[in-house]
Amino acid sequence: MYRQRLTLPALTLTALTLLPLAVACGNEKGGGTGSSSVGADTEPSVTGVHWTVDSVTVNGTTHQAPDGAHVEIAEDGRATGNYGCNSFHSTATFKGDRITLSRTLSTEMACEKRPMEFETTLARALAAGPLTAEAGQGKLTLTTAKGDRVHLTEEKDAPLYGTKWTVNSLVRGDVAQSLPAAADGKAWLTFTKKSESGDKKSGEKESGDKEVGTVSGSLGCNRVSAKATVRGSHITLGAPRTTRQMCSGSLMTTEKSLLKLFDSTVSYRIDHRAITLTSENGEGIGAIADR
């Protein structure tokens, strides 16, 4: 998954601006004039699905989406997504075979050139007017009256175990800060269930919902491994075992931040291909699943 480089020093979740956007979609052919809440006139497969944006075709030219661009509409009318750089959320309502996103709020991050260019293309396509939706076999296409198209694919959550989680941000409370350039793509973690040995079988749980395994990876400079015990939405990370290589100052600073998570219990949350690990004091990391 593409790793977003912020040109701003930090992102705050409250940095939102009102963004006008009218989106219409749906997967029923209908010309009804009445208005209804989300979910009333549409297939359940359109709502409650994380739709990854694959590309946008405008005037016959197809623009490939950066990793992270997506749209999701909940059954209660909440719509969230990411244009490729900035995140947005809004309220969705249906009218016949169309969906309108209103009261849309968006973050205002400055990112690398390509995500920003695609963001403009996607936002314009979504705001171009009523969109006709065609859904099936995990795919969704939204087509404007001019024939421009937004192509989307249903995406499942990445599994905790066996996924290479590449660290892309350091979290402190509501603020997520991107890693230094020198550490970009170099820090990662992989969780593994306890392998079959002795009387224990792979993935066997101990004492109810406790599942014992390991975590290994890179801190940006040195390799690391530790015991990892999962219970519910929490992971207890054991004392870290690391190599002892000396690296540049920025790499060592990143490493020290990651080491704070070990020998403690952290909460974790997976949102499709993103994971956050947060300690009791609100510090933690954000990571993206490699494809």
Side-chain angles (χ1 to χ4, degrees):
M1 180 169 282
Y2 108 97
R3 291 180 288 276
Q4 176 173 292
R5 178 72 55 76
L6 305 184
T7 59
L8 300 179
L11 161 66
T12 60
L13 298 182
T14 57
L16 299 173
T17 183
L18 187 63
L19 182 68
L21 176 66
V23 178
C25 67
N27 67 335
E28 284 189 311
K29 303 295 183 182
T33 58
S35 179
S36 61
S37 61
V38 164
D41 292 333
T42 190
E43 287 271 339
S45 61
V46 174
T47 60
V49 175
H50 182 95
W51 294 106
T52 294
V53 180
D54 299 320
S55 64
V56 178
T57 301
V58 178
N59 295 327
T61 301
T62 298
H63 307 268
Q64 297 299 320
D67 290 329
H70 67 274
V71 177
E72 185 171 354
I73 303 173
E75 294 182 2
D76 63 1
R78 290 177 298 169
T80 59
N82 186 287
Y83 295 122
C85 174
N86 284 284
S87 299
F88 70 88
H89 65 86
S90 63
T91 301
T93 54
F94 283 80
K95 185 176 182 180
D97 62 351
R98 300 171 181 178
I99 300 173
T100 299
L101 300 184
S102 59
R103 298 195 294 273
T104 300
L105 297 175
S106 172
T107 56
E108 291 185 305
M109 296 189 297
C111 302
E112 293 179 344
K113 182 178 180 181
R114 179 173 175 267
M116 291 299 290
E117 289 179 345
F118 180 84
E119 174 166 309
T120 300
T121 301
L122 176 58
R124 286 176 177 172
L126 292 178
L131 304 174
T132 301
E134 296 181 13
Q137 298 183 339
K139 298 288 186 178
L140 175 64
T141 302
L142 307 177
T143 306
T144 70
K146 294 173 55 179
D148 297 335
R149 299 183 303 278
V150 180
H151 305 276
L152 308 97
T153 299
E154 180 181 359
E155 185 170 19
K156 304 293 186 181
D157 285 355
L160 172 65
Y161 293 109
T163 299
K164 182 179 179 181
W165 298 103
T166 299
V167 181
N168 66 347
S169 63
L170 301 177
V171 178
R172 183 186 294 271
D174 290 336
V175 178
Q177 184 171 0
S178 58
L179 299 184
D184 185 31
K186 295 182 178 179
W188 56 273
L189 298 172
T190 296
F191 294 90
T192 306
K193 292 181 182 180
K194 189 170 183 179
S195 60
E196 187 172 338
S197 62
D199 295 330
K200 296 233 176 262
K201 296 182 179 180
S202 176
E204 183 176 352
K205 294 184 179 180
E206 297 182 355
S207 64
D209 61 354
K210 183 169 72 174
E211 193 166 61
V212 177
T214 60
V215 61
S216 60
S218 170
L219 298 170
C221 176
N222 285 283
R223 300 279 298 186
V224 65
S225 62
K227 185 177 179 180
T229 303
V230 178
R231 178 184 281 119
S233 61
H234 292 80
I235 305 175
T236 299
L237 301 174
R241 298 182 295 276
T242 69
T243 55
R244 298 184 181 276
Q245 181 179 349
M246 293 300 296
C247 299
S248 66
S250 58
L251 287 178
M252 296 305 293
T253 299
T254 299
E255 182 163 303
K256 289 178 181 178
S257 296
L258 297 180
L259 280 173
K260 293 179 181 179
L261 297 175
F262 289 84
D263 213 8
S264 68
T265 297
V266 299
S267 61
Y268 81 95
R269 179 175 181 271
I270 295 176
D271 185 4
H272 300 283
R273 301 197 66 82
I275 189 173
T276 54
L277 302 177
T278 310
S279 63
E280 291 182 354
N281 65 5
E283 296 183 5
I285 62 170
I288 298 295
D290 278 13
R291 292 189 180 276

